[in-house]
Amino acid sequence: MEQNQNNWLLTSWISNEGASRIFIELKFTLRDCNSLPGGLGTCKETFNVYYFESDDADGRNVKENQYIKIDTIAADESFTELDLGDRVMKLNTEIRDVGPLTKKGFYLAFQDVGACIALVSVRVYYKKCPSVIRNLALFPDTITGADSSQLLEVSGSCVNHSVTDEPPKMHCSAEGEWLVPIGKCMCKAGYEEKNSTCQVCRPGFFKASPQSPSCSKCPPHSYTHEEASTSCLCEEHYFRRESDPPTMACTTPSPISIVKKGKIAKNSISLSWQEPDRPNGIILEYEIKYFEKDQETSYTIIKSKETKITVDGLKPASTYIFQIRARTAAGYGGFSRRFEFETSPVSVAASSDQSQIPIIAVSVTVGVILLAVVIGFLLSGSCCDHGCGWASSLRAVAYPSLIWRCGYSKAKQDPEEEKMHFHNGHIKLPGVRTYIDPHTYEDPNQAVHEFAKEIEASCITIERVIGAGEFGEVCSGRLKLPGKREFPVAIKTLKVGYTEKQRRDFLGEASIMGQFDHPNIIHLEGVVTKSKPVMIVTEYMENGSLDTFLKKNDGQFTVIQLVGMLRGIASGMKYLSDMGYVHRDLAARNILINSNLVCKVSDFGLSRVLEDDPEAAYTTRGGKIPIRWTAPEAIAFRKFTSASDVWSYGIVMWEVVSYGERPYWEMTNQDVIKAVEEGYRLPSPMDCPAALYQLMLDCWQKDRNSRPKFDEIVSMLDKLIRNPSSLKTLVNASSRVSNLLVEHSPLGSGAYRSVGEWLEAIKMGRYTEIFMENGYSSMDAVAQVTLDSNSCKGMNHLVKGGASPTSPCFRMDIRLEGSCADWRRPAL
Ligand code: AMP
């Protein structure tokens, strides 16, 4: 009630927390001056608000006149005596803002100059755009700008596992609202967006690129067991081209999708189909599998080179299921889906048969006449008596259907089609596609004509001698069959003056070869038995035998090329083992290689294979065996199986990777047998990928059942080919030493207490002194021998010093596991 009121209320120092505009919300009550009894002259209905900026809390001593006025605040509503009696509180709310602030904080001051006022609350705040994730970008808490109309541009940061597409930006308004988002982030490959985060793709799912919207299930025939996969791997035997997108299914030669039925009779159904859309190479043939509905365990397989076939021998009025698949050099594609077709019922067929009687009668008559004419021709001289081309063209005019047969005096029913019957997974007679031992034929001539086509000698042009076989020369030349283009062939001849047994053995190879049909088995064109010299004609392999070819081209191929050769050989061997044929003489010298570096298994025979092979030696139990290539059980008790072929395959792998090196170098056969029996194995060739050497060691397991099967070898090599980086790890020299000394040592790991004991165990005791003199006095020192040239020099000296003229260094080398390979190779 006194005059000149001047009351100040001061806040403590308030940090502005970085904000440059702050808001002050005041809630207060104010008494109406009119309601005051008397003394109106001093009563005020406003109060003042001030601020003072400072960087710290030193403003307590600031003078009143240094404060800057924010505003004079008046009440919208004031209360009276009456309100007091009713206990009604009329609360006023006023908001003011201040900015731009330039210091870290401020004081607020309230000046009362005579109002009856109650300041109920003061709320001081600033505005911000709260942290938000938009378009996978995180925008942080952002304090609004100092100006009330200002928009702040804020950059976002991509959330975990995401990447920038276009730099993400948003705008923070003075009111604390996010406006106008620009740009975005995307979940990186292997992650997908869920609830504004990037979640990992689960195993079985993949996302190839940030642009893909979400994780997708692996496409058909592919898989991934990893989280965050960016692609899926193809299942075994399925492939994807490098240029194929990862969303594309892995395929085998693509399955045939459409099979149409043609003519349907009571015993036969004609089918046709389209070549697959995306064949995995040139289609070599189709396989048609069929069975009577609900009798799947008993099915038949026919092969055809064309895209149509008439399947006969069916039951009338019966439903049959057909599936077709294609084969390329890469193998078989998947079978098509099942197609169901029904033969005509007997009654219909019978009536139509009757209606066809006149036609049949005419056909039979014509057939008999034709047969007579054909027999007449055959009796009047062989096809090629006057030159193959002339005879065949004459026949071609007269009997077009015989064109392709000209040149063969014996042909199979239709060489383009073969039939195999299966029951419960086993091949059923007749038309069996397992290997048949020609010895089971009483007449070997019958066997050769069962499996090999007879070629007229005049169709063959011999050009030059390319090799020598046991029975005569091997020549290259050309074969011109009527209606076909001339093409190069190899011709094995049987020398004159042969015995009957020699002829039988010579043609035995053709009887075996003729049963095989596989891109990695040498293909038999036919035989010449009706004239002399007797000949076997096969496809021509430009690069000859693999061992010689590799020696000539030492170090010239990439690892992938070498593995490709090995894959081919393994694939051929898988085919042979599936057919039940045991080769017994698998070695690089018996593999032929063509100009495309395709390897094919050759040299088939029975007892004669081993008689013929200069590598084969007589064993104590009789019989000749190529010791270095042969599994111990086959040497010891003639247990030749596909598993012993796998052992030989391991040796072939070693020959290939070492470019035709002789297995076990100059060791004698007896030493090889002993060393292998003792558990010793060939060391890794130089620069050999560890995966390949491991496969070799697997093939050389003593227990034949533990060796891999050929199909497993093919798959393993396919995997390596598909993932070439897996071939980059080479066998490490020092690990090779311990590997051989320990793992294959019959005495086991750590069995050798001294170098002397070890040398004794490997029958090299006489070198003990020289080892000691050269500082190899402990097993540790021996195991340290590396490819380092100094230690090789040491070994050179060491071995020379102790070796007799005929007991060469390589033996030491083998035991030291090729550590001195650099030194040894030129020396040999
Ligand atoms: P073989 O009697 O089968 O061991 O053949 C002897 C040699 O003739 C082989 O080492 C090859 O150099 C060569 N030879 C055999 N068959 C063929 C062929 N189909 N293509 C090319 N050269 C062959």
Side-chain angles (χ1 to χ4, degrees), residues 750-818:
Y752 302 113
R753 272 161 298 166
S754 68
V755 176
E757 188 182 328
W758 165 63
L759 287 171
E760 282 302 332
I762 60 168
K763 313 270 183 298
M764 308 278 267
R766 62 187 181 282
Y767 295 118
T768 308
E769 213 172 296
I770 303 161
F771 266 75
M772 298 300 149
E773 280 168 16
N774 283 277
Y776 298 104
S777 53
S778 69
M779 285 308 287
D780 277 352
V782 173
Q784 291 304 314
V785 176
T786 66
L787 270 175
D788 151 18
S789 57
N790 285 334
S791 52
C792 276
K793 275 187 202 128
M795 297 309 292
N796 189 4
H797 165 75
L798 180 83
V799 172
K800 273 191 183 158
S804 71
T806 51
S807 96
C809 334
F810 65 83
R811 286 190 52 181
M812 183 67 73
D813 239 346
I814 293 168
R815 296 300 179 173
L816 288 172
E817 218 297 279

Side-chain angles (χ1 to χ4, degrees), residues 466-469 474 490 492 522 538-541 544-545 589 592 603:
I466 53 170
V474 182
K492 281 188 175 180
I522 191 83
T538 66
E539 68 181 302
Y540 180 61
M541 301 292 283
S545 60
R589 67 184 166 279
L592 292 167
D603 244 72

Side-chain angles (χ1 to χ4, degrees), residues 421-689:
H421 303 277
F422 294 82
H423 187 72
N424 288 331
H426 296 289
I427 299 173
K428 247 179 20 175
L429 288 167
V432 190
R433 287 289 292 160
T434 46
Y435 160 73
I436 299 168
D437 184 342
H439 274 150
T440 56
Y441 284 73
E442 255 180 44
D443 175 5
N445 275 320
Q446 192 199 337
V448 79
H449 286 117
E450 184 74 32
F451 300 118
K453 299 163 195 165
E454 177 74 28
I455 298 176
E456 309 293 343
S458 54
C459 300
I460 300 166
T461 317
I462 292 179
E463 284 171 344
R464 58 193 178 87
V465 176
I466 53 170
E470 149 106 334
F471 297 100
E473 279 140 359
V474 182
C475 308
S476 64
R478 305 187 76 75
L479 177 64
K480 169 77 185 86
L481 291 173
K484 283 197 175 172
R485 276 169 167 233
E486 195 182 63
F487 58 96
V489 286
I491 305 134
K492 281 188 175 180
T493 55
L494 177 61
K495 60 192 165 210
V496 285
Y498 54 82
T499 64
E500 191 45 38
K501 179 175 181 307
Q502 279 173 325
R503 181 181 191 274
R504 210 169 45 228
D505 287 348
F506 176 73
L507 289 175
E509 176 166 28
S511 306
I512 296 168
M513 217 191 291
Q515 297 182 45
F516 304 141
D517 178 17
H518 187 273
N520 296 103
I521 304 289
I522 191 83
H523 175 73
L524 177 73
E525 293 298 339
V527 290
V528 178
T529 63
K530 303 249 153 79
S531 59
K532 286 184 184 167
V534 173
M535 293 185 251
I536 297 177
V537 183
T538 66
E539 68 181 302
Y540 180 61
M541 301 292 283
E542 296 84 348
N543 283 317
S545 60
L546 182 61
D547 63 334
T548 320
F549 175 68
L550 287 172
K551 279 179 208 154
K552 258 195 265 168
N553 295 284
D554 196 343
Q556 297 300 304
F557 300 112
T558 62
V559 173
I560 286 287
Q561 283 176 308
L562 296 180
V563 177
M565 295 175 196
L566 291 173
R567 197 264 178 209
I569 301 166
S571 175
M573 289 308 297
K574 171 187 164 345
Y575 175 85
L576 292 183
S577 67
D578 287 349
M579 292 273 288
Y581 180 80
V582 178
H583 192 288
R584 296 175 177 228
D585 196 11
L586 179 58
R589 67 184 166 279
N590 290 331
I591 303 292
L592 292 167
I593 180 160
N594 71 15
S595 54
N596 294 323
L597 301 188
V598 176
C599 287
K600 308 204 181 196
V601 181
S602 84
D603 244 72
F604 302 100
L606 303 161
S607 54
R608 83 122 195 116
V609 175
L610 304 175
E611 307 291 342
D612 182 14
D613 190 338
E615 279 296 345
Y618 286 99
T619 63
T620 45
R621 298 186 51 155
K624 267 177 116 183
I625 287 177
I627 301 292
R628 283 153 215 273
W629 283 263
T630 305
E633 75 275 6
I635 297 175
F637 45 96
R638 299 189 67 76
K639 184 76 190 161
F640 284 97
T641 58
S642 288
S644 63
D645 276 353
V646 166
W647 177 291
S648 314
Y649 179 79
I651 305 286
V652 172
M653 285 184 75
W654 189 92
E655 293 184 90
V656 169
V657 181
S658 56
Y659 284 91
E661 186 78 273
R662 180 169 163 73
Y664 310 94
W665 302 279
E666 281 96 309
M667 278 173 84
T668 64
N669 278 343
Q670 278 316 308
D671 281 351
V672 171
I673 294 175
K674 258 197 247 159
V676 169
E677 264 307 310
E678 283 171 14
Y680 167 71
R681 297 292 180 266
L682 275 169
S684 159
M686 268 205 296
D687 298 332
C688 179

